[in-house]
Amino acid sequence: MGRGRTVVGARIAVNGQRPTANAVIEVQVAHLGLDRATNSPVVILQEKDGERVLPIWIGPAEASAIAMQLAGVKFARPLTHDLLKQVIVGLGAELRRVTITQVKDNTYFAELFLHRDDHVIQIDARPSDSIAVALRLNAPIFTSDELLERSSIEMVESPDAPQPLDADQLKAYLENLDPEDFGKFTP
């Protein structure tokens, strides 16, 4: 693959030469919650040096992957995000950062920034998967100041605000999942 060549699903930059149009702010996973109105899991990202939070509604499988990593649960066999971690490391790459880039029609977008030698590989991904992989590789998570400002919520106690789940609540939630919650398989 040549330098600067576009690859399906990824953009390559040499020596990190990608201009940014907006200031980025580092965020961290503050907690996982459950939206009482929709009964959907929500990952709450909070700016590292501030009070603003960015809620992202995610699927139950991704919530489980994030929760298991946060809780330090290890499995005998690798799960999907663990597999991706091993692929990245096995290929000699490093996940330098994840960036939550935008929201369109209530759908969030993210990018993984992999570094290998003098190449930067920028990969489009879902935020939930990106967060799960970033947690496994200890990579920082960023979002734009504009997105954080536009999409952030104030964490006030209201009946409809996403509520944090403790370990027992998360376990009960996961045990009570219906296979239909994961969607239908259509080959």
Side-chain angles (χ1 to χ4, degrees), residues 21-163:
N22 197 344
V24 292
I25 306 293
E26 187 169 358
V27 294
Q28 58 194 8
V29 176
H31 61 267
L32 285 171
L34 191 62
D35 183 339
R36 290 184 187 173
T38 63
N39 204 33
S40 297
V42 182
V43 62
I44 306 294
L45 301 177
Q46 181 173 358
E47 61 184 324
K48 195 167 183 178
D49 298 319
E51 297 297 318
R52 295 179 295 177
V53 296
L54 179 63
I56 301 176
W57 279 255
I58 61 177
E62 293 78 15
S64 176
I66 292 169
M68 296 306 168
Q69 184 63 31
L70 290 173
V73 175
K74 301 292 180 201
F75 293 92
R77 302 293 299 145
L79 300 178
T80 304
H81 299 99
D82 302 309
L83 175 63
L84 184 54
K85 170 190 173 185
Q86 294 306 320
V87 168
I88 292 168
V89 171
L91 290 173
E94 177 185 0
L95 179 61
R96 293 271 179 95
R97 75 174 192 229
V98 162
T99 303
I100 312 301
T101 58
Q102 63 180 320
V103 61
K104 276 188 193 173
D105 300 323
N106 294 322
T107 300
Y108 285 86
F109 293 80
E111 292 178 340
L112 300 164
F113 288 83
L114 299 173
H115 289 235
R116 183 171 180 224
D117 300 325
D118 65 345
H119 289 84
V120 176
I121 306 164
Q122 190 175 341
I123 303 170
D124 178 48
R126 297 183 310 177
S128 53
D129 292 325
S130 301
I131 292 166
V133 173
L135 291 172
R136 283 161 173 76
L137 287 166
N138 298 314
I141 303 167
F142 294 90
T143 190
S144 69
D145 185 54
E146 177 187 342
L147 182 61
L148 191 59
E149 188 64 38
R150 189 175 40 153
S151 301
S152 70
I153 61 169
E154 288 187 33
M155 290 305 288
V156 294
E157 293 300 320
S158 86
D160 294 330
Q163 300 297 312

